[in-house]
Amino acid sequence: MILKGKPVIDSLNMELKKESERLRLSGAAPVLAIVRVGDNADDMAYERNAEKCCAAAGVDVKKYIFPADVGNEEVLSAVREISADGNIHGALILRPLPPQIDDRAVCRALAPEKDVDGITEYSMAGLYSDKCVGFAPCTAEACICMLKHYGVKTSGKRAVVVGRSFVVGKPAAMMLLHENATVTVCHTKTHGLADICREADILIVAAGHAKLIGEGFFSPGQTIIDVGINIDESGNICGDVDFDKACGTAAAVTPVPGGIGRVTTAVLAKHVIEACARSVQK
Ligand code: NAD
């Protein structure tokens, strides 16, 4: 089975639209602030996707765009302004920021309750303690949404995560643990990666290497979530998993493109709506 992102997004959007309308009727329209420094093509593509997903879910977007040579104080004061603005419920700060900007100070200037992409220490603590402070990084949550949408059982299953970044690998592993999977996290120093991957019932790959996971890494019955976004030798977008080889053995696999990437921005809209609902409850 090919686990496409679109059906996940469609069903998510149906629920989100209802919730955002309910919030609007109560006088609180969900708003996402997007902070972008410079005009990096990947950032701009992600921003366009985020805007599309927000429009589909009933979330308004307010943009803070700066030139690539903007000063640190200017960006910091925009983030402080967003944090203090009662009409903004979430912020997406496109990173990495250029070297003159103090990334750590920017993350710390963001109000934890508006941290809809899990970049603050509060969100990380919330994720590890399973308490609702901030939000999980959107891509990690998108992996869990994908598994749930397609009815993939996690409880008691053997899950392997390839990659230990703060953005994907670590939070995905923690979320799988909360879903009662038995989790192994692999990284560049792991020995016997193929053997470990073959043992997985659920394999999540976020390494950033085109087709790293290929022949000899798969076993029958596996569900494979490919988070990687790379360019192959012919200039085409591909994942970290050799899709054709995975299809020959595994039970289910996400495509790249058309898999996790699109679900990530839908989860971002979901977080903004949740942040808005939390602020109304307060
Ligand atoms: P990263 O470079 O921060 O982390 C990569 C991780 O993979 C590291 O922990 C490293 O130890 C591990 N790794 C690298 N090579 C390995 C190897 N040969 N064997 C075992 N482990 C290895 O990257 P990231 O930010 O976590 O992103 C990973 C991939 O996911 C990238 O391709 C990125 O473009 C993609 N990504 C996609 C989305 C999305 O929305 N779909 C979002 C974020 C990242």
Side-chain angles (χ1 to χ4, degrees):
M1 180 164 58
I2 297 174
L3 308 179
K4 290 191 178 159
K6 185 154 186 322
V8 187
I9 298 165
D10 289 346
S11 96
L12 209 55
N13 275 345
M14 251 178 12
E15 285 168 37
L16 294 180
K17 193 90 192 148
K18 271 191 228 151
E19 178 64 358
S20 64
E21 271 161 21
R22 188 189 68 78
L23 286 164
R24 272 171 204 277
L25 286 173
S26 75
V31 178
L32 170 72
I34 298 182
V35 179
R36 170 165 53 85
V37 178
D39 50 10
N40 173 286
D42 288 347
D43 285 351
M44 289 168 79
Y46 192 69
E47 181 183 318
R48 276 193 301 277
N49 274 340
E51 284 184 274
K52 253 193 241 166
C53 276
C54 283
V59 172
D60 296 336
V61 171
K62 187 172 176 188
K63 296 210 246 180
Y64 294 74
I65 312 289
F66 298 98
D69 61 354
V70 66
N72 188 44
E73 258 320 301
E74 227 175 306
V75 176
L76 269 178
S77 78
V79 176
R80 286 190 198 110
E81 185 188 309
I82 291 165
S83 293
D85 187 336
N87 293 317
I88 294 178
H89 307 97
L92 171 67
I93 300 168
L94 294 164
R95 295 157 78 222
L97 292 160
Q100 79 275 15
I101 310 293
D102 183 345
D103 181 77
R104 209 145 176 238
V106 166
C107 292
R108 287 198 167 151
L110 181 62
E113 66 275 14
K114 299 188 184 187
D115 180 20
V116 287
D117 198 19
I119 63 168
T120 65
E121 286 156 6
Y122 291 96
S123 287
M124 286 179 207
L127 190 59
Y128 286 76
S129 61
D130 209 9
K131 298 220 168 63
C132 235
V133 187
F135 294 87
C138 296
T139 307
E141 189 170 325
C143 297
I144 306 297
C145 280
M146 187 72 103
L147 293 171
K148 287 192 173 163
H149 178 89
Y150 286 104
V152 179
K153 292 207 167 55
T154 48
S155 185
K157 300 292 177 189
R158 180 83 195 264
V160 171
V161 180
V162 181
R164 57 174 166 183
S165 72
F166 282 115
V167 183
V168 194
K170 279 184 184 138
M174 199 48 64
M175 294 176 96
L176 283 165
L177 206 51
H178 290 318
E179 298 294 331
N180 298 316
T182 302
V183 187
T184 303
V185 182
C186 302
H187 46 80
T188 44
K189 301 285 187 285
T190 298
H191 293 291
L193 185 63
D195 294 343
I196 298 170
C197 287
R198 270 201 313 275
E199 283 174 15
D201 299 308
I202 296 163
L203 177 59
I204 295 185
V205 188
H209 281 269
K211 301 181 187 175
L212 170 73
I213 308 299
E215 191 82 58
F217 284 68
F218 310 117
S219 59
Q222 279 183 328
T223 298
I224 303 172
I225 306 278
D226 187 357
V227 179
I229 304 173
N230 313 287
I231 305 293
D232 70 12
E233 57 286 347
S234 330
N236 297 317
I237 293 178
C238 72
D240 291 349
V241 175
D242 188 325
F243 183 78
D244 294 333
K245 295 210 170 103
C247 284
T249 309
V253 56
T254 60
V256 178
I260 282 293
R262 304 185 58 183
V263 181
T264 295
T265 37
V267 169
L268 177 72
K270 172 176 174 270
H271 286 177
V272 180
I273 291 169
E274 277 172 24
C276 180
R278 285 184 199 171
S279 80
V280 169
Q281 268 171 16
K282 251 190 182 175

